Amino acid sequence: MKLQTAQLFTILSEYQFFDWEDHENNKHLMMIGLPENTLEIKGFYQSFGFDSVENPFSNIKISKKQWVQMEDLFFPWVSPYLSTFGQTVVTPFLSNDWEGECDLDDIMDDEFAHAYKAYKAFLINNDLYVHGPALIETSRGYQIDHIGDFSILGRMAARNHRYLFFADEDKVFMFTDSLTLQMYCKDEEVLHQEKKKIKQMLHPDFLS
């Protein structure tokens, strides 16, 4: 469900613990990745992440097909944990630019196309994809309606789109271009609770 700007700001006002300007001030941090024994690419988390795709200068070579396979591992793996959240909203860092640097009107027919087409359909269905003059400003926020929304948005985040997710007034998180989940918690107690839950549900590698 798209959010009006006033609605979004009202929700975000409950996240005073999060420092937008300097992430180093957000002390209660964790970053998780897929368990090492599930990785199909050896040393994946020592690579340049998405910047390694089709990059001859990368320390670890990753093809587009391999990257999609990693996405197909990561998002179904992390989704059960995300499904435990109550209200979750997402914003492209308060901008209304949901398309980012990707031209969704000119999608290449390659291994990446399926996710881009799914994302474009998601934006259109939620009235977040507006080209040309509009009487009403495109929304800067969206409330997650379905667990599948995380995968659609997360795949774009892993491909260098920038989103912030806000959950239950005590967690702020993002998906990175290295296929990790990076989370800032309200305090040490919340961090401890979430780590415990994650260990029980996902058995991840804690990267931070």
Side-chain angles (χ1 to χ4, degrees):
M1 177 182 69
K2 75 173 184 177
L3 299 170
Q4 301 303 321
T5 301
Q7 290 177 294
L8 176 65
F9 286 167
T10 297
I11 292 170
L12 297 187
S13 69
E14 301 297 328
Y15 293 84
Q16 297 295 324
F17 68 89
F18 181 71
D19 190 330
W20 289 78
E21 303 298 328
D22 188 353
H23 286 191
E24 290 187 4
N25 290 332
N26 297 310
K27 302 300 183 184
H28 308 291
L29 163 70
M30 66 174 157
M31 182 185 294
I32 63 168
L34 285 159
E36 187 173 357
N37 62 2
T38 67
L39 297 178
E40 296 186 358
I41 300 173
K42 186 177 180 180
F44 176 77
Y45 285 119
Q46 283 72 55
S47 75
F48 300 149
F50 187 68
D51 287 340
S52 294
V53 176
E54 308 289 346
N55 181 353
F57 302 104
S58 174
N59 58 333
I60 295 174
K61 304 297 187 291
I62 302 175
S63 68
K64 288 185 176 182
K65 181 178 180 180
Q66 287 176 310
W67 182 264
V68 172
Q69 289 172 339
M70 290 298 298
E71 290 178 341
D72 290 344
L73 278 175
F74 180 80
F75 290 103
W77 167 76
V78 78
S79 288
Y81 168 64
L82 302 176
S83 70
T84 67
F85 298 168
Q87 183 192 61
T88 304
V89 301
V90 58
T91 174
F93 279 76
L94 297 182
S95 84
N96 60 357
D97 181 11
W98 294 88
E99 191 170 356
E101 297 179 3
C102 176
D103 184 357
L104 294 177
D105 282 334
D106 187 22
I107 299 172
M108 293 180 60
D109 187 17
D110 61 12
E111 291 89 342
F112 284 175
H114 180 76
Y116 286 127
K117 289 176 181 177
Y119 181 59
K120 182 176 181 179
F122 167 84
L123 295 182
I124 292 172
N125 290 339
N126 290 287
D127 200 21
L128 296 171
Y129 188 73
V130 180
H131 276 201
L135 295 176
I136 301 175
E137 181 187 55
T138 305
S139 176
R140 298 171 186 269
Y142 172 82
Q143 181 170 315
I144 298 295
D145 287 330
H146 185 271
I147 188 64
D149 295 345
F150 286 116
S151 178
I152 292 171
L153 289 159
R155 288 170 191 263
M156 295 300 102
R159 300 178 188 188
N160 288 326
H161 287 52
R162 298 181 74 239
Y163 306 108
L164 270 179
F165 295 80
F166 297 79
D168 299 336
E169 300 183 1
D170 59 8
K171 297 177 288 290
V172 179
F173 64 96
M174 64 186 74
F175 300 106
T176 75
D177 59 4
S178 295
L179 284 177
T180 65
L181 174 68
Q182 182 171 314
M183 178 176 287
Y184 303 97
C185 294
K186 182 177 182 178
D187 53 35
E188 192 66 31
E189 181 180 358
V190 175
L191 178 63
H192 176 75
Q193 291 172 348
E194 296 306 313
K195 276 190 172 182
K196 182 178 179 181
K197 190 191 305 181
I198 285 171
K199 286 178 182 178
Q200 292 173 342
M201 298 184 71
L202 303 180
H203 311 289
D205 274 358
F206 283 93
L207 305 173
S208 175

